[in-house]
Amino acid sequence: MDKHRTRAAVLTGVAGYVPPGTVTNADLEARLDTTDEWIRSRTGIAERHTVPPGTATRELAVEAGQLALKSAGRDSVDSVVLATATPDRLCPATAPEVASALGLGPIAAHDIAAVCAGFLYALSAGVGAIAAGFADHVLVIGAETFSAIVDPEDRNTAVIFGDAAGAVVLRAGDPDEPGAIGPIRLGSDGQYSDLIQIPAGGARQRSTGTVPEAADHHLQMQGRKVYRHAKERMTQSALDVLERSGWAVEDVDRLATHQANARISEAVADELGVPRDRVLSNIEHVGNTAAASLPLLLADSATQGKLRTNDRVLLAAFGGGLAWGAASLTWPDVTAFAAHTYRG
């Protein structure tokens, strides 16, 4: 790379990992007031995956990280950024343990918490580290163990969320080469923080000295309000990124949205004017995997031949905070890995 040119972050490896446990809609029908038809029609989900007892986010992140490093043909990086809303502990961060388990040595490693928008926030941190010259190679991981925080008896959330991890490796490169991460647009609006939350466990609840209700230890979500905000924010941030990238909507070969709900992805595509046959999706088999969603979707799509070299890809995500973001890139010539046990 010409040292006088702007340093860009280039995607050089991508992978996804899904744990072996499977919860089908039929399994949920047996214990909740719901049906397969109700779940599919409202979310597009047929199954979601869960970790075995004793397994948590670190293990998922390590699995995806190993595969992403293999995809990139590397055994070292300068930094690890882990996006997760389900860290193994409140303190310390999970990323240093992931870096250690991967044998990466005493490198920089930190967590980012932006729930379902977490991967794009983590991606921006990796891009920034490379642009600033702090790192030449960064491993960016999104990993979640939502089965640990979702109330299994809550129909509003139990049918939606699953466990998984996805990861990408970034390297320093040129802005005009395939794989270079284009403009990234991030945003947030904390006045709606109660729309997606876990009320108990944090400093605010603990400082009151009150004993929380059992339900307050689980994820709570106001789905209808979230739907409206998700559609509006992902659409607007995606439009901003298109303008900054110099792309017209017609230039977009693939739209990769956070896999929250099939109807949301379709609504965003329709708002943007992207044909639905260009929309990537794997929600049927994994559900909403929060920060793991986008990298897992990219890995699955690449291994299935739905992403090809030089495809122009537009990414968008939305999550608790409220937080959202969008980004663009031209897909590189990369060998992706996706370890999963999907039935379909």
Side-chain angles (χ1 to χ4, degrees), residues 55-59 84 86-94 97 111 145:
T55 299
T57 298
R58 179 184 65 184
E59 287 83 0
T84 185
T86 57
D88 285 9
R89 294 173 287 180
L90 287 177
C91 174
T94 304
E97 292 187 73
D111 291 3
T145 312

Side-chain angles (χ1 to χ4, degrees), residues 7-10 125-138 170-173:
R7 284 168 60 98
V10 179
V127 169
I130 289 175
F134 168 70
D136 291 326
H137 296 88
V138 180
L170 305 176
R171 63 164 174 83

Side-chain angles (χ1 to χ4, degrees), residues 249-255 265-266 268-270 272-280:
V249 171
E250 295 77 17
D251 296 327
V252 177
D253 296 303
R254 292 291 182 263
L255 174 63
S265 296
E266 292 170 353
V268 171
D270 293 346
L272 291 171
V274 175
R276 289 190 180 182
D277 61 2
R278 299 185 186 183
V279 179
L280 301 175

Side-chain angles (χ1 to χ4, degrees), residues 190-264:
Q191 69 176 313
Y192 298 109
S193 61
D194 62 336
L195 295 187
I196 304 173
Q197 64 167 326
I198 300 175
R204 183 166 301 280
Q205 175 267 311
R206 294 184 182 202
S207 69
T208 65
T210 59
V211 178
E213 298 292 330
D216 289 342
H217 288 285
H218 295 294
L219 180 75
Q220 300 176 8
M221 182 172 66
Q222 299 180 43
R224 291 183 180 179
K225 293 181 180 179
V226 168
Y227 180 97
R228 176 175 60 83
H229 285 285
K231 182 178 74 171
E232 292 176 0
R233 298 302 192 177
M234 281 200 286
T235 299
Q236 187 55 58
S237 57
L239 288 171
D240 290 347
V241 164
L242 285 176
E243 181 177 359
R244 296 182 186 190
S245 302
W247 294 0
V249 171
E250 295 77 17
D251 296 327
V252 177
D253 296 303
R254 292 291 182 263
L255 174 63
T257 62
H258 162 57
Q259 301 292 283
N261 180 305
R263 293 193 301 171
I264 293 177

Side-chain angles (χ1 to χ4, degrees), residues 15-109:
Y17 176 78
V18 175
T22 304
V23 179
T24 67
N25 289 352
D27 294 329
L28 295 175
E29 280 183 325
R31 60 182 174 82
L32 295 176
D33 179 19
T34 190
T35 65
D36 175 69
E37 189 280 330
W38 188 92
I39 298 171
R40 286 178 183 267
S41 65
R42 286 162 176 77
T43 69
I45 301 169
E47 61 180 349
R48 67 290 296 149
H49 296 257
T50 60
V51 296
T55 299
T57 298
R58 179 184 65 184
E59 287 83 0
L60 295 181
V62 168
E63 293 282 358
Q66 287 175 331
L67 291 173
L69 290 168
K70 179 181 177 181
S71 172
R74 296 197 59 80
D75 57 12
S76 66
V77 293
D78 305 305
S79 177
V80 173
V81 186
L82 172 63
T84 185
T86 57
D88 285 9
R89 294 173 287 180
L90 287 177
C91 174
T94 304
E97 292 187 73
V98 172
S100 177
L102 288 170
L104 298 175
I107 62 172

